[in-house]
């Protein structure tokens, strides 16, 4: 998958922080090591996730090409996703209200 500018920037920053953490660890400089190590995890971890995750538009195109879904099914899934997000937002706004019981199993 091609890297975007954001992905490349995160990879570069993460590698810089990881290299700095290694350098500071070898020099026994604890405070700079802690700071670099702390910064390396979120930047490099996020970069790896962004680079490894498939893009939604690519997944939809592949599923259409293989005949796994139709345009109507994609639209219906999108509508259901929006409804679910609205329910989650409502639940976050009113934390003391219990959610309805699940109809599954």
């Amino acid at each position: 998958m091609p890297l975007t500018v954001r992905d490349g920037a995160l990879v570069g920053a993460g590698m810089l922080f990881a290299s700095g953490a290694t350098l500071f660890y070898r020099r026994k400089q604890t405070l700079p090591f802690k700071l670099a190590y702390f910064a390396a995890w979120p930047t490099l971890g996020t970069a790896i996730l962004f680079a490894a995750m498939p893009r939604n538009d690519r997944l939809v195109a592949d599923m259409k090409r293989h005949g796994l879904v139709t345009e109507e099914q994609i639209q219906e899934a999108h509508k259901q996703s929006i409804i679910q997000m609205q329910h989650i937002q409502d639940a976050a706004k009113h934390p003391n209200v219990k959610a309805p019981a699940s109809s599954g199993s």
Side-chain angles (χ1 to χ4, degrees):
M1 286 186 246
L3 287 178
T4 63
V5 174
R6 176 194 63 191
D7 298 345
L10 282 171
V11 167
M15 292 302 291
L16 181 68
F17 288 132
S19 299
T22 303
L23 175 71
F24 294 132
Y25 180 79
R26 288 183 181 162
R27 291 183 179 178
K28 305 293 186 215
Q29 295 175 326
T30 57
L31 182 62
F33 164 75
K34 290 176 184 177
L35 294 173
Y37 187 78
F38 177 77
W41 277 105
T43 53
L44 195 54
T46 304
I48 291 169
L49 287 176
F50 280 151
M53 284 189 319
R55 307 282 190 254
N56 187 46
D57 53 347
R58 177 177 277 176
L59 288 174
V60 170
D62 285 347
M63 290 185 336
K64 282 183 184 178
R65 188 179 65 225
H66 293 295
L68 299 174
V69 294
T70 63
E71 188 64 35
E72 293 81 24
Q73 290 172 322
I74 292 169
Q75 293 297 328
E76 181 62 28
H78 182 69
K79 288 178 189 175
Q80 291 298 322
S81 176
I82 290 173
I83 291 170
Q84 288 176 344
M85 286 189 279
Q86 288 172 345
H87 285 295
I88 292 170
Q89 288 174 349
D90 291 342
K93 289 177 187 174
H94 309 287
N96 295 332
V97 177
K98 289 189 175 183
S102 175
S103 60
S105 57

